[in-house]
Amino acid sequence: MSAPKLEVVERGVSAGEETPFSRRHIGPGASEIAEMLAALGLGSLDALVAETVPGSIALKRELDLPSARSERVALADLRRMAERNRVCRSYIGMGYYDCVTPPVILRNVLENPGWYTQYTPYQAEIAQGRLEALLNFQTMVADLTGLPLANASLLDEATAAAEAMAMCRALARGGKTFLVDRDCHPQTIAVVRTRAAAIGVEVRVDDAEQADLAPGAAFGVLVQYPGSSGALRDWSALAERARGVGCRLVMATDLLALTLLRPPGELGADVAVGSAQRFGVPMGFGGPHAAFMATREEFRRQLPGRIVGVSRDAEGRRALRLALQTREQHIRRDKATSNICTAQVLLAVMASMYAVYHGPSGLRRIALRVHRLTRALAAALEGAGRELAPGPWFDTLRIRLDGDEQAELLRAAAERGVNLRAHPGGDVGVSLDETTSLEDVAGLAELLMPAGRSAAAPALEPVAPPEAFARKSDYLTHPVFGAYHSEHEMLRYLHRLQARDLSLTTSMIPLGSCTMKLNATAEMIPVTWPELGGLHPYAPPEQTSGYRELFSDLEGWLGEITGFAAVSLQPNAGSQGELAGLLAIRAYHESRGEARDVCLIPVSAHGTNAASAVMAGLRVVSVACDTRGNVDLQDLRARADAHRASLAALMVTYPSTHGVFEAGIRELCGIVHEAGGQVYLDGANMNAQVGLTRPGDFGADVCHLNLHKTFCIPHGGGGPGMGPIAVAAHLAPFLPGHPLEEPQPGRVGAIAAAPWGSPSILPISWVYVAMMGGEGLRRASQVAILNANYMAKRLSGEYRVLYTGDRGRVAHEFIVDCRPFKESGIEVEDVAKRLIDYGFHAPTMSFPVAGTLMVEPTESESKAELDRFCDAMLSIREEIRAVEQGRLAAADSPLKHAPHTAGAVTAEAWDRRYTRQQAAFPTPWTREHKFWPAVARIDNAYGDRNLFCVCPPLEELAGES
């Protein structure tokens, strides 16, 4: 059959015209597209879409977006926009500090696709480098907080505090009141209030030292150490009182301060939370940053987020993996107490490497210098007659002012390019950081002097931490924190770890529902511009006009793409977008005087859906799927009727988690609306819809968008992500509010600590949309669908493709059924691990159907890469057939021993029933470029039975060597 002529023809490039970016982003060229269409028996991409997307929801026009810009033009436009931001010296504090990112970490982690294009380490054998960096992070947090168990990062300090509240409530098996000390950061209080209100918890803000803690008065207490105003307080007496009445103490804290101060664990805290931002991660107008949580060993089953644990591999060597996954939301669903789905892995890696690079003495030296500068400023101000709020302090002072002095002082500071914190009541705050110099302190002293007064120039004097708070215990004693203080050694360490991880720089990562597409270099470049990274999240509006223009553009573009009236960029993960959307729905019903609290969720839904619904205060009711994987509309109608008086929402993923554009989506929306509910569309699969259909047009009311999937923010090894929500006009009044502003009546409160979530990565999506334009985005969706259908066609002769649409087509992903091989002793995990030997990351395993692989190629992969993966799968099928036909026992098959390490293949003894060549070099391309797994197959059960979540002790390392 001859290749058909395409209806969509690529534009020619005349002399001097730049190649359209879409041609760089979309992997297959015109000839490859033609070949794949021919294999499907089709003449055009439009014909394929017509057989895939129901005609009743097809978008009949082009997206109303600006014309596509070249990489050069887009970056120039964004540079002009960024230059409208004014980067001032910010002494605002409140958990955000300027810092120095060591260039070796900046270039070799943050700007390195070998780190930022990795996926979540679910296939641990090919994620050992990143897992080691995260284990370092956990060790760093555990050591500094004085609590033995830490997770592998959370989203931001405020949401970490809210997670701690939920954890305390779970430990108490209920409870109605959570006490928050009034000297906690205001954004933390705001987010805790939002999350508490949804689950019926009262937040009482008071002086925690003086508050009533009678039995049953509160299930948990949150305090800040050092306080938001700067004061240090000894919380040990409160911890003892709380313990006596079964109440848990949560301490929000500062890692740099803890190099000098007694840690929370020694003061009696049950949980410590905070942000690792000042460990080398730019402020970025609010994020992304790695938050942390640490707790006691006995609470390990309740600790939210991911935990890296130490286990062993099939060869008996130490190996790392994600531990205790059965407690995570994707498994526990509506029984979960957290909906956290992503961490902030890339930022946690940076923070951990900052600690590795500086070591304990280097961190202490930085902290001591900050403290000395603070004491010097305090002495200068007090010497000139200024009254300071009582200390002792670490890095933050609160200066008492009279009358309307605050406004005049803030104006004078702004004229000097300085931002101070404006406290309610008229005081100002000053927080110093790693970048502060003695000259800066002199300038601050001059600025803050009372009118007509002067003082001697500040001087650095030898000082020690306040004796009552001085830390006596050691920290960061593991050799990893003492071995890499020269740049040369640090560089080698980073690259050694990077080599143990498979990323998009290695090969295709075909994970269904995860969309591991190209993260173009041009999109990533602006992330490290100081005009975007150097802003404090609470800088005055007149300093952030460039960011606000970017937000306006992106909100407008996302609204047009989804068909919705309003967009909030605040949710800083898909899970937080789900929560924000459901809270908006709930607030909408309440504004109409309706107490609706039932959320219908198909059994095939993402695990976060049910968890988010419970966190929003909703009751989950499951809806069945039919034999073709579609939502069972008859069962949906019955459930909607049964809960008509209380139906709040239905959560549905579209295209479905089974990889199909369900033809009944309009009817589905109609059933829910007729029963008085709202339709929440999980936008995880939005990348198959852009330019082809719009959720707002076919009946959805709200949709969250995974910018780290559809809109090219990279996965970063498990984070950062962004999950903004788009809503219909009637839900717009209920979008999340600003964390520092008084909540408006009926409006959902703050979801994240920063008003726009993680703003410094939003330029990635802005550049992507700007460079693709409407036509490019539509073509990307078409080619994503083409690539998936081509691969499904190639594999369907040897594997069963589980679900297709009415006309036999899949959407942008498809499910391969590996369950029949179980009869011969071959499990789906064996196929996943064997793919590593072929140089590939496995597709999504056992979701949404156990025993299957969900494959998503994305539009960025070329036909050659698609064929390479299909060839690997077909070769593995032959290996399975050898077992099925009795030519090789399952236990003797390379599938059971996969993945094969270099050590195993080069060992003197080889007693396997297959050759070393078949083990390690099963295809021609593995001989040209071989990715070696760092460890053999990992024993997951052993790791959970022998939970160990910090860097291994010296004796174990010595034994390995």
Side-chain angles (χ1 to χ4, degrees), residues 572-656:
N572 52 4
S575 60
Q576 305 307 291
E578 291 178 6
L579 177 62
L582 291 171
L583 289 178
I585 287 173
R586 182 174 168 177
Y588 166 73
H589 289 309
E590 289 174 351
S591 74
R592 293 157 56 87
E594 298 178 350
R596 294 176 171 270
D597 67 347
V598 166
C599 186
L600 303 179
I601 300 181
V603 295
S604 63
H606 294 108
T608 51
N609 287 175
S612 296
V614 170
M615 290 178 60
L618 302 175
R619 291 183 292 135
V620 173
V621 174
S622 294
V623 178
C625 290
D626 62 24
T627 57
R628 300 186 63 185
N630 301 318
V631 176
D632 186 326
L633 296 182
Q634 184 174 346
D635 187 59
L636 171 63
R637 190 171 282 106
R639 304 285 181 181
D641 285 343
H643 298 281
R644 180 173 293 271
S646 54
L647 178 59
L650 166 80
M651 297 186 80
V652 61
T653 302
Y654 201 75
S656 72

Side-chain angles (χ1 to χ4, degrees), residues 274-330:
S275 171
Q277 177 267 316
R278 71 190 308 177
F279 275 29
V281 182
M283 289 185 290
F285 200 35
H289 308 130
F292 62 83
M293 182 184 288
T295 190
R296 305 188 183 282
E297 289 278 5
E298 59 263 36
F299 304 148
R300 61 183 180 273
R301 291 284 174 183
Q302 287 78 30
L303 182 64
R306 295 169 182 149
I307 305 173
V308 176
V310 180
S311 187
R312 65 186 182 188
D313 73 357
E315 297 168 5
R317 294 174 303 176
R318 180 178 71 98
L320 308 178
R321 56 181 280 277
L322 294 181
L324 298 177
Q325 289 194 58
T326 52
R327 69 191 167 69
E328 289 193 47
Q329 50 71 28
H330 63 280

